[in-house]
């Protein structure tokens, strides 16, 4: 099944919060955070529902999938809404769900069509990836028109400079969206973007904001020739006919911050308490230039204690976390180095 927080419960929880800034952004993120809570009492207050869509195994055997759903309902489980269809009424039932989705109290991203006769379905076998007894499809993405206001250029730890579209806020899939990554120079140029253009945006898989198309196509956005952070030369590099923009400065501050941010992250050296803001301050003050400098912070105790919001206790906690990180598994250390194409799974 799937854990969900109903829209009605989500709205009620937000209504009980006086301060707008403390309100939850969307039910999906709230639910995800709720089931990860270490304190189950917090989770219990969040009205998390479990909606069942499949019976994996039971001592009781059933001939039909619909019988499984009815049995699960008799035990008190919430199950997904399902209708029996034939070739005669399938189109009518798809339209029923399509029209009802706007009224649902839970999010729905598509439909599954499965044979009711379990034995017959199993006899059809599987492809390399999927069983042949079912097919699934997603609903068409919800799109909204808006006006492109600017392009932000963000520098990654590898020096890749990614274009990000900034546009007038629109509501998509229950959240307000005003930014979307354009991924690379080729995608941006293919969209023929210009500031002030009317663009169409959507959420891929109901999560990631994307620009679908451009109605205006003024094609006036100019790719920068300098890094937006260090102002050194930026150049376009083509890989498999895709254009990427890179900062050529090996010592770019943005690269260093991103590399160090990965180094201290949970799956890497796991130095808790070092945020990007603290890293930025340590770099600005000349305390940290390389990974190893993080392990000599005690040489700058007085300077670090003088940071805004810092003090003796914060400094001691920071040093304690740094010392603890000296003993990590080899895979975590390899991942922390930020080697190209080496994610955590490959590092292991």
């Amino acid at each position: 099944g799937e854990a969900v927080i109903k829209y009605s419960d989500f709205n009620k929880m937000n209504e009980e919060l006086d301060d707008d800034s403390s309100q939850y952004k969307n039910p999906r993120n709230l639910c995800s955070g709720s089931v990860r809570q270490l304190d189950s009492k917090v989770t219990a207050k969040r009205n998390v529902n479990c909606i069942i869509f499949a019976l994996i195994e039971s001592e009781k055997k059933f001939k039909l999938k619909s019988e499984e759903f009815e049995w699960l309902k008799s035990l008190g489980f919430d199950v997904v809404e399902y209708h029996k269809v034939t070739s005669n009424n399938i189109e009518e039932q798809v339209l029923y769900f399509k029209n009802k989705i706007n009224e649902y109290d839970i999010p729905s991203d598509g439909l599954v069509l499965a044979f009711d006769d379990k034995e017959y379905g199993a006899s059809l076998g599987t492809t390399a990836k999927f069983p042949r007894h079912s097919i699934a499809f997603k609903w068409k993405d919800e799109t909204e028109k808006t006006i492109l206001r600017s392009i932000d250029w963000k520098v990654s730890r590898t020096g890749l400079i990614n274009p990000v579209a900034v546009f007038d806020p629109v509501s998509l899939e229950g959240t307000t969206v005003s930014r979307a990554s354009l991924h690379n120079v080729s995608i941006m140029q293919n969209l023929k973007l210009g500031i002030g253009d009317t663009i169409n945006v959507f959420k891929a898989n109901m999560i990631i904001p994307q620009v679908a198309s451009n109605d205006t196509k003024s094609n006036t956005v100019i790719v920068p020739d300098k890094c937006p952070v260090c102002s050194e030369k930026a150049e376009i590099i083509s890989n498999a006919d895709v254009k990427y923009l890179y900062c050529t400065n090996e010592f770019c501050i943005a690269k260093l911050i991103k590399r160090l941010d990965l180094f201290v992250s949970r799956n890497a050296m796991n130095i808790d308490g070092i945020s990007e803001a603290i890293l930025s301050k340590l770099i600005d003050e000349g305390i940290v230039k390389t990974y190893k400098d993080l392990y000599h912070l005690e040489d700058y105790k007085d300077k670090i204690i003088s940071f805004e919001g810092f003090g003796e206790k914060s400094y001691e906690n920071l040093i304690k976390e740094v010392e603890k990180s000296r003993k990590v598994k080899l895979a975590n250390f390899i991942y922390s180095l930020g080697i190209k194409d080496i994610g955590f799974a490959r590092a292991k």
Side-chain angles (χ1 to χ4, degrees):
E2 193 159 342
V4 299
I5 291 178
K6 294 178 180 178
Y7 290 125
S8 55
D9 288 332
F10 174 76
N11 292 333
K12 187 177 178 182
M13 281 188 275
N14 266 346
E15 286 169 6
E16 292 171 355
L17 297 172
D18 299 328
D19 182 12
D20 287 349
S21 63
S22 64
Q23 291 190 342
Y24 305 114
K25 301 301 181 204
N26 61 72
R28 181 192 289 268
N29 290 357
L30 176 61
C31 187
S32 176
S34 298
V35 296
R36 289 191 177 97
Q37 286 284 337
L38 296 177
D39 185 352
S40 59
K41 291 177 184 175
V42 175
T43 310
K45 296 175 183 176
R46 298 279 178 84
N47 296 318
V48 177
N49 295 261
C50 184
I51 312 294
I52 304 297
F53 54 77
L55 177 64
I56 305 302
E57 187 179 351
S58 71
E59 291 181 2
K60 194 175 176 69
K61 301 303 174 188
F62 300 93
K63 177 174 171 53
L64 304 178
K65 194 167 182 65
S66 55
E67 290 175 347
E68 290 181 342
F69 280 139
E70 292 305 314
W71 181 63
L72 287 165
K73 284 199 281 189
S74 75
L75 297 178
F77 289 104
D78 289 329
V79 302
V80 289
E81 182 177 359
Y82 69 94
H83 293 182
K84 287 188 180 182
V85 297
T86 66
S87 58
N88 295 326
N89 71 342
I90 184 168
E91 185 175 359
E92 172 193 324
Q93 293 302 324
V94 169
L95 289 173
Y96 163 84
F97 281 106
K98 180 186 176 184
N99 293 329
K100 192 170 180 182
I101 190 172
N102 293 323
E103 305 167 13
Y104 265 169
D105 206 13
I106 60 172
S108 165
D109 61 356
L111 292 178
V112 175
L113 180 69
F115 284 107
D116 198 21
D117 188 318
K118 294 188 64 188
E119 187 177 341
Y120 175 70
S123 74
L124 299 175
T126 65
T127 66
K129 292 184 178 179
F130 306 108
R132 289 195 173 96
H133 57 62
S134 303
I135 58 173
F137 66 88
K138 302 285 188 182
W139 297 115
K140 186 178 178 182
D141 291 306
E142 177 187 345
T143 61
E144 289 288 344
K145 287 187 186 299
T146 183
I147 304 298
L148 180 68
R149 296 302 177 188
S150 64
I151 300 289
D152 276 0
W153 296 88
K154 297 293 182 185
V155 187
S156 74
R157 62 184 173 83
T158 62
L160 179 64
I161 306 174
N162 290 313
V164 178
V166 181
F167 43 82
D168 290 342
V170 289
S171 179
L172 285 173
E173 311 290 356
T175 64
T176 300
V177 177
S178 61
R179 300 168 67 86
S181 174
L182 296 167
H183 303 294
N184 56 58
V185 172
S186 289
I187 289 176
M188 187 193 76
Q189 290 180 335
N190 289 339
L191 286 165
K192 297 182 178 178
L193 294 173
I195 307 308
D197 282 1
T198 298
I199 58 174
N200 299 286
V201 296
F202 71 103
K203 274 190 176 180
N205 296 321
M206 300 177 72
I207 302 173
I208 304 167
Q210 306 273 328
V211 177
S213 60
N214 179 10
D215 294 348
T216 313
K217 296 184 179 178
S218 65
N219 201 23
T220 56
V221 170
I222 298 172
V223 179
D225 58 3
K226 288 184 171 57
C227 172
V229 176
C230 69
S231 299
E232 294 293 323
K233 182 183 176 184
E235 64 180 31
I236 292 176
I237 296 174
S238 292
N239 184 6
D241 294 327
V242 178
K243 297 177 186 175
Y244 300 93
L245 185 66
Y246 280 90
C247 170
T248 60
N249 178 16
E250 185 184 346
F251 303 102
C252 177
I253 292 296
K255 288 186 188 180
L256 180 57
I257 290 175
K258 294 295 183 184
R259 284 200 299 266
L260 287 167
D261 195 40
L262 173 75
F263 185 81
V264 303
S265 65
R266 185 175 62 182
N267 285 334
M269 302 305 283
N270 193 23
I271 306 178
D272 194 26
I274 298 191
S275 64
E276 211 171 284
I278 293 173
L279 285 173
S280 182
K281 188 69 174 171
L282 291 170
I283 292 168
D284 288 345
E285 294 292 333
I287 296 171
V288 172
K289 298 184 182 71
T290 66
Y291 298 141
K292 70 174 185 177
D293 293 336
L294 289 168
Y295 293 89
H296 299 281
L297 297 180
E298 62 272 11
D299 296 342
Y300 302 92
K301 179 179 178 180
D302 292 341
K303 190 179 277 191
I304 293 172
I305 287 175
S306 69
F307 288 176
E308 185 179 346
F310 245 72
E312 187 82 34
K313 185 67 177 175
S314 299
Y315 168 79
E316 288 174 3
N317 290 337
L318 182 60
I319 296 300
K320 193 184 300 180
E321 287 295 328
V322 169
E323 289 303 308
K324 194 165 67 175
S325 77
R326 290 179 184 274
K327 295 180 180 178
V328 296
K329 292 181 178 177
L330 181 58
N332 299 83
F333 176 67
I334 292 172
Y335 172 65
S336 76
L337 299 177
I339 303 167
K340 190 169 184 271
D341 296 328
I342 304 296
F344 186 48
R346 190 168 290 181
K348 286 201 285 189

